Amino acid sequence: MNRRIFFLSATGAALAQTPSESVRLALIGAGGRGRRVTSEFRRDPNLFVHGVCDVYEPNLEAGLSAAGPGTKAYRDYKRVLDDKDVDAVLIATPEHWHHRMTLDAMAAGKDVYVEKPLCHTPAEGKELVEAERESDRIVQVGMQRRSYDLYLEAREIRRTGELGTVRMVRTYWLNSRTEPRRDTFKGPINWEAWLGPSPEVPTDPLVFFNWRSLAAYSGGIAQDQGCHIFDSIHLIMDAGYPVAVNASALRPHVAGMDQPESVVVAAEYPQGFMAIFTINYNAMRYASRADQLNAYDGSLARMDIGREFLRVFPRDSPETPSLDKEQPGGFAQATIDHVMNFLHCVRTREKPRATMDKGFQAALIVQLANISLKESRTVGWNAETLSVV
């Protein structure tokens, strides 16, 4: 497989030589997120949605409708990868498929935009990072804060020394999810294909519509949201792999689900700081602009950043911000900018903003946290061998 990954496909070579060349995209996984991100791709006038693939017929039909007339339908992602008319793929399937599909797409000579989390386990992440080292493919992980000017500005503030020494970053994410979705299938589904590499279980809409809360398919809501938060911390703090991770959680409270909704994760970094992520989906429901906060506790100032605001509180006036910036709509724009960065890199072969290793580093923190919860211990990480200590 690595030898197959190494060589440029004819399509990739053409794009590398002619930056203005059109890009033909295929969507794999046409659920709500996949359709939404596809709509951002379609903002590029030289982007053509060549195909849509899904194993659940209603999603496939909705994806074809969103992609526009003339779009080809697929029910097997391998047929997408066999199609020489496809230059790049958007992978927006459940988490348990990301690793295998990304490897297969790279081996088929496709560039890849893959939704977060990048992978399901540390072993999967290691394999992906090592494959990328031997590949010429462009891979962008859907962690859009790396394309968000508000977060890039926060990084520059930290780099200038305005905050002093930051030894701790504290975060929270609040929402309400106390009942599972109890939808029924509204059309045919290829259940075996949906399960893929996960254990075989009977066809069950409760599993299909709640996969983010089941360990066989997801690292839980802590992983789903935590990789965003930890990636933003890595961006702002110029950090990456941790030294060690510890976690604590309440039991799951959603009937039939095995992943907790109330979790605290503490990560220690070789740069000499800690990052504390707290998520509670047993809180009241907040408007999305107010559901999360990240506080950088420096010796000279504290910096608070959320979805659409950035504030700095200096030591000599801790209740009055020296910087108070609101950016309504900025978070939505960040996804557009992230997609456009990917397309720019497909055409120029430049390195994208959210590379495979960045995607793995963000997902890894909560994967180690889940090991910590299971084994009731602090879990160390060896960044040289990419292995759990």
Side-chain angles (χ1 to χ4, degrees):
M1 181 190 70
N2 288 340
R3 289 185 64 191
R4 290 176 63 202
I5 289 174
F6 181 80
F7 295 103
L8 268 169
S9 68
T11 297
L15 288 171
Q17 293 166 9
T18 54
S20 62
E21 190 72 49
S22 63
V23 177
R24 295 162 296 184
L25 178 79
L27 166 63
I28 303 175
R33 181 62 182 174
R35 298 194 300 270
R36 178 178 174 184
V37 177
T38 299
S39 71
E40 310 301 6
F41 271 92
R42 294 185 69 196
R43 292 172 182 269
D44 186 314
N46 290 318
L47 183 285
F48 300 92
V49 183
H50 177 78
V52 173
C53 178
D54 206 287
V55 299
Y56 179 45
E57 207 68 20
N59 280 355
L60 178 59
E61 292 172 3
L64 291 169
S65 178
T71 306
K72 191 173 180 179
Y74 302 85
R75 293 168 178 81
D76 181 347
Y77 82 93
K78 292 184 178 178
R79 302 290 77 79
V80 175
L81 303 184
D82 289 339
D83 191 333
K84 302 302 182 184
D85 290 330
V86 173
D87 303 318
V89 294
L90 162 58
I91 299 173
T93 62
E95 177 185 319
H96 69 290
W97 263 115
H98 288 181
H99 158 260
R100 183 72 265 152
M101 287 182 176
T102 299
L103 285 176
D104 289 347
M106 293 169 66
K110 313 300 184 187
D111 293 326
V112 181
Y113 187 107
V114 55
E115 272 299 314
K116 57 79 200 168
L118 172 65
C119 53
H120 197 40
T121 67
E124 289 182 356
K126 178 181 179 180
E127 186 177 6
L128 284 164
V129 169
E130 290 176 345
E132 186 186 40
R133 290 173 183 166
E134 299 185 33
S135 172
D136 56 7
R137 296 298 85 203
I138 300 297
V139 179
Q140 176 96 298
V141 184
M143 300 183 304
Q144 64 267 32
R145 286 166 180 79
R146 287 191 174 267
S147 294
Y148 193 177
D149 56 358
L150 199 69
Y151 279 73
L152 297 173
E153 181 177 347
R155 180 178 64 181
E156 292 310 306
I157 291 171
R158 199 275 308 167
R159 284 178 172 177
T160 64
E162 185 176 342
L163 305 182
T165 302
V166 178
R167 295 296 184 199
M168 184 173 288
V169 182
R170 298 171 293 114
T171 77
Y172 67 70
W173 194 315
L174 303 172
N175 211 317
S176 177
R177 181 177 294 170
T178 55
E179 292 294 330
R181 285 183 60 185
R182 299 192 180 278
D183 302 29
T184 58
F185 290 127
K186 297 176 174 61
I189 183 171
N190 184 336
W191 186 249
E192 183 179 349
W194 186 85
L195 288 174
S198 63
E200 184 176 347
V201 297
T203 305
D204 187 348
L206 196 68
V207 170
F208 181 79
F209 291 107
N210 296 276
W211 61 266
R212 283 185 176 86
S213 297
L214 294 166
Y217 320 103
S218 167
I221 198 66
Q223 167 88 309
D224 196 53
Q225 308 293 36
C227 65
H228 275 312
I229 297 301
F230 280 107
D231 182 59
S232 71
I233 293 170
H234 296 169
L235 171 70
I236 292 172
M237 294 295 292
D238 289 312
Y241 291 112
V243 172
V245 176
N246 198 6
S248 182
L250 296 177
R251 64 172 179 82
H253 288 87
V254 178
M257 304 295 106
D258 61 15
Q259 293 285 62
E261 311 85 42
S262 303
V263 186
V264 177
V265 179
E268 179 186 346
Y269 291 87
Q271 290 84 1
F273 75 96
M274 292 184 67
I276 314 297
F277 170 60
T278 61
I279 188 164
N280 180 21
Y281 266 45
N282 274 297
M284 66 181 186
R285 184 175 294 278
Y286 288 77
S288 62
R289 58 182 169 77
D291 65 353
Q292 57 192 260
L293 176 70
N294 312 284
Y296 290 74
D297 293 317
S299 57
L300 300 179
R302 186 185 87 241
M303 180 172 66
D304 291 353
I305 187 168
R307 287 185 192 263
E308 298 183 345
F309 67 85
L310 172 63
R311 301 181 185 118
V312 176
F313 297 86
R315 183 172 60 184
D316 57 0
S317 58
E319 296 181 0
T320 304
S322 57
L323 172 68
D324 190 349
K325 185 173 184 177
E326 298 280 340
Q327 195 161 328
F331 193 75
Q333 182 63 42
T335 299
I336 299 170
D337 292 343
H338 205 53
V339 166
M340 295 306 158
N341 171 249
F342 171 70
L343 291 175
H344 171 77
C345 294
V346 167
R347 293 178 172 119
T348 64
R349 316 315 289 174
E350 295 175 18
K351 179 182 282 189
R353 291 173 183 150
T355 54
M356 196 92 85
D357 60 333
K358 302 300 184 188
F360 177 40
Q361 289 162 3
L364 173 68
I365 305 298
V366 185
Q367 291 168 2
L368 297 181
N370 285 336
I371 296 173
S372 174
L373 292 174
K374 184 178 180 180
E375 300 184 2
S376 299
R377 68 179 180 92
T378 297
V379 181
W381 180 254
N382 186 322
E384 299 263 337
T385 61
L386 299 183
S387 59
V388 174
V389 178

